[in-house]
Amino acid sequence: MTSKYPLISDYGYIADCHTAALVSRSGCIDWCCVPRFDSGSCFGRLLDWDKGGHCSVRPQGDFASRREYSGPGLILVTTFETATGTANLTDFFSMRHGGKHDPRRDINRILECTEGEVSFVVEVAARFDYGGVKPWIRAESEQLFSVVGGDDGLLIWNNLGLAMEHRHDLAAEVTLEAGEKRHLWMQFRKPELLDEGDTDACNADDIDARLEETSKWWQDWAGEETYEGDHEDLALRSASVLKGMTNAPTGAVCAAVTTSLPETPGGSRNWDYRYSWIRDSAFTARSLAELGHQAEADGFRRFIERTAAGSADELQIMFGIGGERRLVEEELGDLEGYAGAKPVRIGNSAQSQLQLDMYGELVELARRWHDRGHSPDDDYWEFIVETVSAAARLWHKPDQGLWEMRGEPQHFVHSKVMCWAALNDGITMAADLGRRAPTSRWEKARKECYEAIRENGYDTERATYVQAFGSAELDAAILLLPSTGFIAYDDERMISTTNAIWKGLGRDGLLLRYREESDGMEGAEGAFLSCSFWLVECLAGQGRLEEAREVFGRAAGTANDLLLLSEEYDVKTEQMLGNYPQALTHLSLITAIAALRRAASKS
């Protein structure tokens, strides 16, 4: 790896349910997009060290650092130890009750010396539009600066002594003694409003007050959680990670807050995950509901119905976090890419794929909502009926599957099972609610789908379900079959399938999602961490508790010191890979913990 790029695991994560930032161990914000998760970056050194821009607050000379989250939320505290003293850097986006549609969109950085004295170098090098725009900086006062370029703007207040350097940057050197505190506040502002004099800013007292307010906001949110038991720290940290990725105004959930962090070191498996996949978001809603956070599940349910214009015919596998439908993929060829991994991509052409599992995810979301005591109104029931009917009409078609294969469509077994699940849940809900629905047609399609899977999706010689009809490939997505009700965890076919996947796709205690070379893309990817947590669910459901705990420990052990998890993990280098932090990994961890708890209660 190019030495100038920190390891992915070196980054901490802060967010405000509108956007996010990644902060390195050395106090550098190397990734932040404003005003939304999927906007262009203003600090993007993560994808090009020289062009991308950053905001650094780092000690001069040699230092050691450690960090932790203060409380249950996303208030990050980095402690620096130098030869002359110790200081804390507190980073957070400010939160407030009632800020859903009127967010502050501000990054707050509080620097406090706790022992001796510590000298710092502070740099603010904003580069808008993924490093493409060097800003125009104006001094509004001694402590206040407006920073504009293109359609982006920041208002920056500080008491660190920042001054303009090289026209496009702000910099300062400051020495703090024990008990001294300094502040840096950066807020997104539209440049035309800054030009008209919209320069009202925070001061030190305001920032300290916002820290208290933000801490209380996260405490109140965490107070909704009902989980207590083993791995509580992991479950609750994962919950806050997922909450931070939820777009408050719409209810959409980001798959990750980054783009183009490579799945293969230095390779081309680089994708933009700053959008809302139906699958990942439905899983997130399920996981948060397991911990007592019902509002997030309901928010995503309403987002999907609204974004699809109330019609299943308007569904697609993913949307922008505001409900956007066109997510055109393009390559930013002028960027170096993380540690040289090209291309850097924004947008995602997978939005046009057919992935049939989405129907099952949506109907399961509705069924779980129903199981919690809610009854769909007429409009929502019509949407459910259309979704189930779409599964009945389309289940026999090939698709790109859970893993978004970019080759020819196939008859993926997981996709077929999710269509079966949509039909099964729809039939059950219609009976429970006494609602009108074409259940005879659904029952016929459910039977045909089941028989097709039984005849074409199971290899009797090897005693395992396969990835696709006519294929001999194994696929870790098959581990999700029991969660749909299609087959019991302890069914002999599922036990043998679990063993085959564990043996065939296992790498040093973790799982690949499929055989590396089977997708036709260049470069081998790492172990896919969510798959290992799915294995935990299967083993726990089969009463193999000690094996499940062993796999869980191995997968959870790939987290960094902040309990953050990536998409994939390289077992050879023991390093994180892929976009980060990854929603699918964190939500799969939560469901694995729930599975371990259920299994333990039965043992």
Side-chain angles (χ1 to χ4, degrees), residues 109-270:
R109 315 198 77 182
I110 302 174
L111 187 60
E112 183 174 14
C113 183
T114 58
E115 182 180 341
E117 68 173 31
V118 184
S119 297
F120 284 87
V121 175
V122 183
E123 297 174 337
V124 182
R127 299 291 184 268
F128 298 119
D129 194 19
Y130 304 103
V133 178
K134 292 182 178 180
W136 174 29
I137 300 177
R138 293 182 297 186
E140 305 294 343
S141 70
E142 186 178 356
Q143 296 179 310
L144 185 66
F145 299 88
S146 60
V147 181
V148 299
D151 60 348
D152 293 305
L154 294 172
L155 188 64
I156 298 176
W157 181 90
N158 79 104
N159 55 10
L160 291 157
L162 286 175
M164 279 188 277
E165 184 177 82
H166 308 305
R167 294 185 61 199
H168 305 295
D169 302 334
L170 297 169
E173 294 184 7
V174 61
T175 298
L176 275 66
E177 296 181 352
E180 286 191 300
K181 186 189 295 187
R182 296 288 186 271
H183 303 76
L184 173 60
W185 173 83
M186 299 177 288
Q187 184 179 55
F188 173 78
R189 295 280 179 95
K190 293 182 178 180
E192 62 271 21
L193 297 182
L194 287 171
D195 197 44
E196 294 172 3
D198 179 19
T199 56
D200 290 340
C202 275
N203 58 38
D205 290 340
D206 295 332
I207 296 168
D208 288 340
R210 289 186 178 188
L211 175 59
E212 294 299 318
E213 185 181 21
T214 299
S215 179
K216 184 178 186 304
W217 190 96
W218 280 108
Q219 290 285 354
D220 290 346
W221 180 80
E224 301 170 3
E225 289 169 2
T226 57
Y227 178 80
E228 293 181 357
D230 293 341
H231 311 298
E232 185 175 348
D233 57 340
L234 284 165
L236 301 189
R237 176 54 54 211
S238 289
S240 68
V241 169
L242 295 171
K243 177 61 176 177
M245 292 182 187
T246 303
N247 185 43
T250 65
V253 182
C254 282
V257 301
T258 57
T259 178
S260 301
L261 291 185
E263 299 170 14
T264 300
S268 60
R269 295 174 180 261
N270 315 319

Side-chain angles (χ1 to χ4, degrees), residues 488-553:
Y489 282 105
D490 57 358
D491 185 290
E492 289 185 4
R493 292 168 297 172
M494 198 63 220
I495 293 174
S496 61
T497 296
T498 300
N499 291 338
I501 290 173
W502 196 358
K503 179 180 179 180
L505 299 180
R507 297 293 185 276
D508 193 19
L510 300 172
L511 282 187
L512 302 175
R513 52 181 174 170
Y514 45 70
R515 195 166 52 89
E516 292 113 313
E517 62 270 25
S518 65
D519 62 6
M521 293 196 66
E522 293 182 5
E525 62 181 24
F528 210 84
L529 293 173
S530 58
C531 297
S532 297
F533 291 121
W534 299 344
L535 176 59
V536 172
E537 285 193 75
C538 281
L539 293 171
Q542 292 161 11
R544 302 158 68 178
L545 190 54
E546 289 308 310
E547 293 171 286
R549 286 171 172 161
E550 180 182 349
V551 175
F552 180 87

